[in-house]
Amino acid sequence: MKLLLVVLCGFLALALSLAAPAQHDVEMADAPVGNPQPEEHSHYDSKFDRCDGIEFDAVAPDEKGTMFFFKGDHLWKGFSGPSEHANGTFQELDEYHHLGHVDAAFRMHNKDEDALKDHDHIFFFLDDKVFSYYNHTLEKGFPLEIQQVFPGVPSHLDAAVECPRGECVTDSVLFFKGSEVFNYDIKTKTVKKKVWGHLPNCTSAFRWLEHYYCLHGHNFTRFHPVSGEVVGAYPKDARNYFMTCPNFGHGAGHSKPRCKFDAISTDDQGRSYVFIENLYIRLDSHRDGSHPFPIARSWKEISGHVDAVFAYGDKLYIIQGNQIYIYKSAAHYTLIEGYPKPLKEELGIEGPVNAAFLCANEHVVHIIKDQKMMDIDLAATPRVVKIEFPIPIAKADAAMCDADGVKVYVGPIYYQYQSPRILAVGKISPAPFKISAEKFGCEE
């Protein structure tokens, strides 16, 4: 009897051991490959690696400046990091997955009072539908038919990108479909169709730091948002510029410049720049990141570093050596005919100079040269030095005047004064402040 009981127990243990792997195999067969647990939705593709050279469906920033890259039902947040499921950030898009992938996307720019409610919203286009999000939450009433929100704009778009007034003639959105471009005026809700046959068919497009990019395949082409003009050697590989990939460069080949300014200024459009060697950094678009660009990209006639920059009216003055360049600062900087001119002819002084600044609502430019400050009335004819002061700072690099007063930059530090007059009559320099590397995107 005991022997029979032992045999029966042995058979039972063997049966259980054979059954266990079979149950384990069933659980693994139900789970998606590469995932420890099954996902709630089964339509997801496997994860993408953008360093493989994929073609994006759409690219757009959110209201905080985070750039989103879309492919299928995945997205990437920013210029580095792995992909993730899009429904984790924009849940409602997943409920309409039967419509297909995101065709196009853009972040609205419209500060007009009657349309301010849409400013900084992200609009997604899927087939003939449009979704409006703010703070990653779908706005009430959406999705809607595209023509209900953007009359005259076709369905099944390829790409879209916002174009603020000042860069385009009016606050606009550029919609791409094949070789056709639909320029949508946000205020009048009118559309003008163009054909930019010289530009590749864009599968996505985005605006970043005043520049416009058409992505096609794993390449991109930078273009002018009004004319579609392409200047420079394009296409270029996006992996060298807009993502961090092994064996690929990042950015425009520039490391962060040092925190030693040559000039700093804000124009009448509210665009602020710091100039460092042969580069400039846009300051007022900080949420889109700080990035150095060659000065010649925005002021193509300028080669090398500049000595001083100041804005007066709707013009930007750039001083380089013994010459001065004057640009119209409307939609895009345009050199005024007849310039550059000798600095002596324009302002009545000899170059080079150390710095220049102009305070708001004033017409006197303050030029710093060596250890003196010269005041020149820009409303007078001819323009000549009206008064000259010694200043307590030697070897100034740059200067600016804003709501906080006058800042004079010397190497990695700056001195702050309440007004130009305080700077002129001061005998001792105040305690210096350190330039913020984080704020200006430079290296200490």
Side-chain angles (χ1 to χ4, degrees):
M1 177 66 69
K2 290 182 179 180
L3 180 60
L4 178 60
L5 184 60
V6 169
V7 172
L8 289 174
C9 288
F11 277 116
L12 180 60
L14 178 61
L16 288 173
S17 66
L18 291 174
Q23 178 65 28
H24 176 71
D25 289 344
V26 170
E27 292 172 354
M28 292 303 293
D30 288 342
V33 176
N35 291 294
Q37 295 180 350
E39 296 283 351
E40 182 179 351
H41 303 286
S42 62
H43 65 276
Y44 284 123
D45 300 324
S46 60
K47 282 195 172 185
F48 297 99
D49 183 353
R50 56 180 164 182
C51 291
D52 288 341
I54 64 174
E55 183 174 83
F56 296 110
D57 297 326
V59 182
D62 69 2
E63 68 281 354
K64 296 181 177 66
T66 301
M67 194 70 70
F68 289 91
F69 296 78
F70 292 85
K71 178 66 176 179
D73 46 27
H74 282 69
L75 62 76
W76 291 262
K77 296 177 180 178
F79 300 125
S80 63
S83 66
E84 56 187 73
H85 291 137
N87 75 329
T89 303
F90 303 100
Q91 181 179 357
E92 293 83 1
L93 292 180
D94 185 65
E95 298 173 6
Y96 290 83
H97 68 269
H98 59 281
L99 294 176
H101 61 75
V102 175
D103 294 327
F106 76 91
R107 181 179 68 190
M108 175 68 80
H109 180 93
N110 190 359
K111 293 184 177 180
D112 286 345
E113 187 175 347
D114 59 344
L116 188 59
K117 63 181 179 61
D118 289 331
H119 180 66
D120 273 353
H121 287 223
I122 310 178
F123 287 83
F124 295 102
F125 299 83
L126 284 76
D127 288 359
D128 59 353
K129 297 289 191 295
V130 59
F131 298 69
S132 175
Y133 279 84
Y134 186 77
N135 196 23
H136 304 172
T137 301
L138 185 67
E139 290 294 295
K140 185 177 180 180
F142 283 86
L144 294 169
E145 298 290 326
I146 291 176
Q147 286 74 24
Q148 288 180 262
V149 184
F150 301 98
V153 174
S155 304
H156 303 279
L157 293 162
D158 293 326
V161 62
E162 72 277 13
C163 188
R165 181 172 60 247
E167 296 172 27
C168 279
V169 178
T170 63
D171 281 330
S172 308
V173 184
L174 304 179
F175 293 97
F176 297 81
K177 185 170 183 177
S179 61
E180 295 180 329
V181 182
F182 298 83
N183 188 317
Y184 180 84
D185 187 308
I186 295 172
K187 186 173 184 178
T188 64
K189 297 184 181 298
T190 57
V191 176
K192 293 182 180 179
K193 187 171 73 171
K194 307 176 182 179
V195 176
W196 289 345
H198 61 282
L199 194 67
N201 289 352
C202 307
T203 56
S204 58
F206 69 102
R207 170 183 176 268
W208 186 53
L209 300 176
E210 296 184 278
H211 299 294
Y212 292 79
Y213 301 93
C214 162
L215 275 67
H216 43 95
H218 58 81
N219 294 319
F220 74 92
T221 296
R222 185 164 64 90
F223 65 95
H224 192 290
V226 176
S227 65
E229 180 185 11
V230 176
V231 177
Y234 290 95
K236 296 180 180 179
D237 195 315
R239 290 170 291 184
N240 284 322
Y241 294 82
F242 300 116
M243 59 201 75
T244 302
C245 293
N247 303 317
F248 287 89
H250 180 62
H254 302 295
S255 58
K256 286 185 177 180
R258 57 181 178 161
C259 294
K260 184 179 184 302
F261 303 163
D262 292 322
I264 183 169
S265 188
T266 300
D267 70 8
D268 69 316
Q269 304 285 324
R271 296 174 291 194
S272 297
Y273 305 94
V274 60
F275 297 81
I276 306 175
E277 298 175 347
N278 65 332
L279 306 171
Y280 77 89
I281 297 173
R282 176 84 179 265
L283 301 178
D284 58 291
S285 55
H286 60 277
R287 68 177 178 178
D288 292 330
S290 297
H291 194 87
F293 289 103
I295 293 174
R297 178 168 288 192
S298 290
W299 301 275
K300 62 183 180 180
E301 294 83 5
I302 304 292
S303 176
H305 73 87
V306 300
D307 295 328
V309 178
F310 66 91
Y312 177 59
D314 61 349
K315 300 177 179 65
L316 192 72
Y317 294 67
I318 299 179
I319 300 174
Q320 187 180 53
N322 279 307
Q323 290 190 309
I324 186 167
Y325 299 75
I326 303 182
Y327 288 85
K328 290 281 289 184
S329 56
H332 298 272
Y333 292 103
T334 306
L335 185 67
I336 293 177
E337 187 176 355
Y339 287 86
K341 287 183 178 180
L343 188 59
K344 180 71 173 178
E345 180 182 334
E346 186 70 29
L347 298 181
I349 60 174
E350 297 284 354
V353 303
N354 294 74
F357 65 94
L358 195 77
C359 295
N361 303 316
E362 293 189 4
H363 52 81
V364 174
V365 62
H366 307 277
I367 304 289
I368 297 176
K369 181 175 181 178
D370 299 326
Q371 204 165 344
K372 59 186 178 182
M373 183 171 73
M374 299 172 286
D375 288 358
I376 301 170
D377 188 347
L378 297 174
T381 303
R383 293 171 173 175
V384 296
V385 176
K386 295 295 185 182
I387 191 168
E388 184 177 303
F389 304 94
I391 59 174
I393 297 176
K395 298 182 179 179
D397 292 319
M400 70 174 296
C401 183
D402 59 17
D404 298 325
V406 177
K407 298 182 179 73
V408 181
Y409 296 87
V410 182
I413 62 173
Y414 68 94
Y415 301 91
Q416 186 164 319
Y417 298 85
Q418 290 181 332
S419 67
R421 180 63 57 184
I422 299 298
L423 169 61
V425 301
K427 301 299 181 183
I428 302 175
S429 299
F433 296 91
K434 190 175 183 180
I435 293 175
S436 170
E438 181 179 357
K439 176 182 178 181
F440 291 100
C442 55
E443 292 283 0
E444 297 180 3

